[in-house]
Amino acid sequence: MTKQQLFDDIEADEDWLTGLSTDIWENPEVALQEHDAAEALGDALREEGFSVEFGVAGIDTAFVARYGDEGPVVGTMGEFDALPGMSQAATAEPEPIEEGGPGHGCGHNLFGVGSLAGAIAVKRAIERGDVEGSVVYLGTPAEEVGAGKVYMIQDGAFDGLDAVVSWHPGWTNAPNKGSCLAVDTFSVRFEGESAHAAAAPEAGRSALDGVQLLGNGIEFMREHVADPVRIHYVVTDGGQAANVVPAEASMEVMVRAPDRAAVEAVSDRVRDAAEGAALMSGTEVDVTKTSGMYGVLPNHTLGDTILANMEAADFPLSEEQEAFAADLKETLGSPSYADVPADRRDEAAEAAMFTEPLDAPDEGTTGSYSTDSGDVSWTVPLGRFRAATWPAGTPAHSWQAVAAGKDLGTAGMLFAGKVVAGSLYDLLTENELLEEATAEFEERKGDREYESPLPADADPYELTDR
Ligand SMILES: [Zn+2]
């Protein structure tokens, strides 16, 4: 068989694949509540002959679908959660479908189905006897609140996989060869003494003082950390009434840095600052880690495979889709084209859709974001890419991204499905490729072993309370 047959299979399934992603777009469900989406994806895989197991890591909407019982084992991931407050019609003007309702501002309806298309195409090749091995689809919920995949890793969902290729909606077609920031999240609670704020302030010890002093401590610390480090906080409880000295107050603190060691070193300093703030305010403090993630370990071998498949696959953009992209692009204001190399930015500014594959403009960079795919990349060789589902310059989490996700984005989704299928097929058919990707993974990891960054008793359902 040829690679083209995988691509043709996906094009032949265009109607039901786009129907499935439209169903998920029309019924957006936020993190950990994405029951209908998970079920629809799981059902489609079951009908194709995958064995599907739900409830991974105690998360109802996390699932693993597997086809085949021999090696090598290749996999892909699908996200499907929506964002609160992002309801938007598929129109070129801001127009919520349901005021304040959720919407697919990150294109995860396309993400889940594009990966599914890739997994099913590979499964059919295995079934026909064209290729040997197994294919796994990991249904990974709760990306928008953080660490869903980290819980799945902890529960062994990625065990036995030889390589994973995954993608994310965006406005470029490009493999990712860069990294991003590891992160730790803490809940910090101060406890003091309440008292009448005017009549007996000397009897009180303000927990809010503790919070403010820690905030100030972090502000001073900011100057004395290495450049890519980011520290953010919000006050989650600042007391109830100004005439009562608050006995309790709390904040959430996040620390980001390029690797786990750096995150942990800065986090230790934040803990020290919290102790200092408690001392100064005469309160007690409790610092509890609530979540953590790794930065991404890039894999250039898989990035190159992805690029070769991008160059081989058609991007099925219709005239209607392109016309809608042009209308939507006009609403963007002053978009950033920093995702493409400097010499291509004029072109990106001109284009409605920027579909020409680019070779990893992020190579050598550490993006100022965190993703639970980071943990996956420390567990198994992971190839990542972006596919163009939105007009050039569209930021994620914008109303334009939601509007593009219903119909326009399905072109990039089908393209992504082909790139996932082609890359997994290459891994199953070219022994040396899998060996090379694995060797690169081992070399980049060196002697740093992956250890779950989650607290021991972490409950994934508490992620939504953040
Ligand atoms: Zn996303």
Side-chain angles (χ1 to χ4, degrees), residues 79 81 83 105-108 111 143-144 168-169 386 390 396-397:
E79 296 174 5
D81 58 331
L83 285 157
C106 211
H108 292 181
F111 188 163
E143 192 277 334
E144 296 295 359
H168 196 285
R386 299 252 160 197
W390 307 326
H397 298 202

Side-chain angles (χ1 to χ4, degrees), residues 320-338:
E320 295 78 27
Q321 285 171 323
E322 188 149 26
F324 180 65
D327 289 346
L328 199 52
K329 186 181 165 103
E330 284 192 13
T331 69
L332 286 179
S334 46
S336 160
Y337 298 105

Side-chain angles (χ1 to χ4, degrees), residues 223-236:
E223 189 187 353
H224 306 288
V225 292
D227 202 17
V229 170
R230 297 277 189 276
I231 315 172
H232 344 284
Y233 56 87
V234 289
V235 178
T236 48

Side-chain angles (χ1 to χ4, degrees), residues 10-11 14 17-18 21 107 109-118 166-174 310 313-318 321-322 325 353-355 385-391 404-421:
I10 290 175
E11 296 231 332
E14 173 173 353
L17 291 169
T18 55
S21 88
N109 60 309
L110 305 165
F111 188 163
V113 178
S115 299
L116 175 127
S166 186
W167 72 292
H168 196 285
W171 62 266
T172 55
N173 289 325
M310 284 185 167
D314 272 349
F315 193 97
L317 190 68
S318 71
Q321 285 171 323
E322 188 149 26
M353 295 291 287
F354 193 96
T355 59
F385 66 95
R386 299 252 160 197
T389 57
W390 307 326
K406 186 178 185 183
D407 175 58
L408 165 59
T410 59
M413 173 188 88
L414 295 168
F415 177 77
K418 293 177 200 172
V419 175
V420 168

Side-chain angles (χ1 to χ4, degrees), residues 165-166 175 302-311 383-385 419 423:
V165 172
S166 186
L302 292 176
D304 291 339
T305 302
I306 286 166
L307 183 63
N309 281 284
M310 284 185 167
E311 280 159 356
R384 302 162 68 227
F385 66 95
V419 175
S423 304

